[in-house]
Amino acid sequence: MREGRAADTPSFIERHAKLLAVCGLAALLSGCSGVLDPQGPVGAGEKLILLDALAIMLAIVIPVILATLAFAWWFRASNTRARYLPDWEFSGRVELVVWSIPALVIMFLGGLAWVSSHDLDPAKPLAAGQAAPVQVEVVSLDWKWLFIYPDQGVASVNKLVVPAGAPLHLRLTSGSVMTAFFVPQLGSMIYTMNGMVTQLNLQADHPGSYPGLASHFSGDGFSGMHFQTEAVTPAAFAAWVATAKSAGPTLDGPGYQSLSRQSQEVTPFTYRAATPGLFEQIAAQQMPPGPGPQSGGSSPKPTPGKAP
């Protein structure tokens, strides 16, 4: 009976091998819509860096694993051909291998990081093609994102609409506490801070909807501080701008102060007009910053926000 029961029951190794396979597949699938599925030149460059770094590290990890298994098998107790050296202390050849290979790996990784950090500098403009760059001013608030289009004179909340194939020049600041702007499929996470302007250049090669998020904790509403990046055709972008100009409130000083109040899960909406220079006023702290997380360990729980 014991033999039959053992034959029908999966072994410990088989059960855990299946678990590892499922976990590995889940990890791969989770990256399909993120950094492993880039939709622009910056995201593609960062994916290449990730794969190159992985290959360099595997060049030492895999031989070490194989060597560990080979040593364990060769120096097993039953192998009489293995040499036993109880008084062995030093080998120059072993020291050379042990130190030179990790040093080479560090040199390769350091060179890769040095070159890539200059090629993918967030402030470095992307190569201009047939489409003119689109200027977008980004303000992180509690807990929503404000996107101002200075050339078009409109603004939107929690929805970034851009023409596919056109370089994007983003200027970013915070109207409250520090957080981070990140669209995984387009690449380059960058921080936003009150009183400071950072720059980011991105591009969406193809039309599509790409999730964006705040990737730095900023209070109670952090988990819902998401937005959608809608990459559309140039004609659809022009139509969206025309629609935005036809309806909605005006983003001026009082409108911004109303928007800066804490709110969660804000439904995307647009402003038909944005006061010129408002972004500079926010960045220069001429506009009062948002309240931020309150003292006592928790912020108030506001109701879902609506257009002012």
Side-chain angles (χ1 to χ4, degrees), residues 16-73:
H16 284 74
K18 292 178 180 179
L19 178 61
L20 288 174
V22 171
C23 292
L25 180 61
L28 289 175
L29 292 178
S30 65
C32 287
S33 60
V35 295
L36 296 182
D37 182 28
Q39 297 297 321
V42 177
E46 292 179 347
K47 177 185 176 181
L48 181 61
I49 295 172
L50 179 64
L51 296 179
D52 287 345
L54 178 63
I56 292 172
M57 290 183 287
L58 287 179
I60 186 173
V61 171
I62 292 178
V64 168
I65 293 175
L66 296 177
T68 301
L69 297 176
F71 272 69
W73 177 81

Side-chain angles (χ1 to χ4, degrees), residues 7-282:
D8 296 336
T9 304
S11 67
F12 176 85
I13 296 178
E14 290 176 348
R15 293 197 305 270
H16 284 74
K18 292 178 180 179
L19 178 61
L20 288 174
V22 171
C23 292
L25 180 61
L28 289 175
L29 292 178
S30 65
C32 287
S33 60
V35 295
L36 296 182
D37 182 28
Q39 297 297 321
V42 177
E46 292 179 347
K47 177 185 176 181
L48 181 61
I49 295 172
L50 179 64
L51 296 179
D52 287 345
L54 178 63
I56 292 172
M57 290 183 287
L58 287 179
I60 186 173
V61 171
I62 292 178
V64 168
I65 293 175
L66 296 177
T68 301
L69 297 176
F71 272 69
W73 177 81
W74 180 255
F75 291 101
R76 67 193 186 278
S78 60
N79 186 10
T80 57
R81 293 181 296 170
R83 296 177 61 190
Y84 178 59
L85 303 172
D87 299 325
W88 180 84
E89 293 181 356
F90 177 80
S91 171
R93 289 179 295 180
V94 172
E95 291 290 330
L96 178 63
V97 173
V98 168
W99 288 103
S100 62
I101 295 179
L104 288 173
V105 171
I106 293 173
M107 290 174 59
F108 287 141
L109 288 176
L112 176 66
W114 175 270
V115 174
S116 303
S117 63
H118 287 80
D119 290 342
L120 296 177
D121 182 356
K124 181 179 179 181
L126 299 178
Q130 297 180 351
V134 176
Q135 307 293 327
V136 183
E137 298 168 341
V138 183
V139 183
S140 59
L141 299 167
D142 295 330
W143 287 275
K144 49 198 168 283
W145 292 93
L146 170 64
F147 302 101
I148 304 173
Y149 298 78
D151 295 337
Q152 289 74 25
V154 298
S156 63
V157 173
N158 281 350
K159 189 174 184 179
L160 175 61
V161 181
V162 298
L168 308 176
H169 178 224
L170 283 70
R171 300 172 64 219
L172 306 97
T173 190
S174 173
S176 181
V177 298
M178 180 177 71
T179 187
F181 173 93
F182 190 28
V183 183
Q185 289 179 274
L186 301 186
S188 288
M189 179 195 77
I190 195 165
Y191 280 91
T192 64
M193 289 170 274
N194 187 245
M196 177 178 175
V197 176
T198 52
Q199 298 187 58
L200 179 62
N201 289 274
L202 297 175
Q203 180 175 314
D205 288 338
H206 310 287
S209 181
Y210 311 120
L213 69 154
S215 54
H216 182 89
F217 182 74
S218 59
D220 290 345
F222 157 75
S223 61
M225 195 172 170
H226 302 287
F227 64 92
Q228 284 297 123
T229 302
E230 300 289 345
V232 298
T233 62
F237 178 72
W240 176 81
V241 172
T243 302
K245 288 184 175 181
S246 64
T250 299
L251 182 62
D252 51 13
Y256 170 77
Q257 293 184 24
S258 175
L259 179 67
S260 67
R261 299 191 186 103
Q262 291 181 344
S263 56
Q264 300 182 26
E265 307 293 343
V266 178
T267 302
F269 65 93
T270 59
Y271 289 95
R272 60 184 173 84
T275 301
L278 181 62
F279 178 83
E280 284 73 17
Q281 296 179 37
I282 299 170

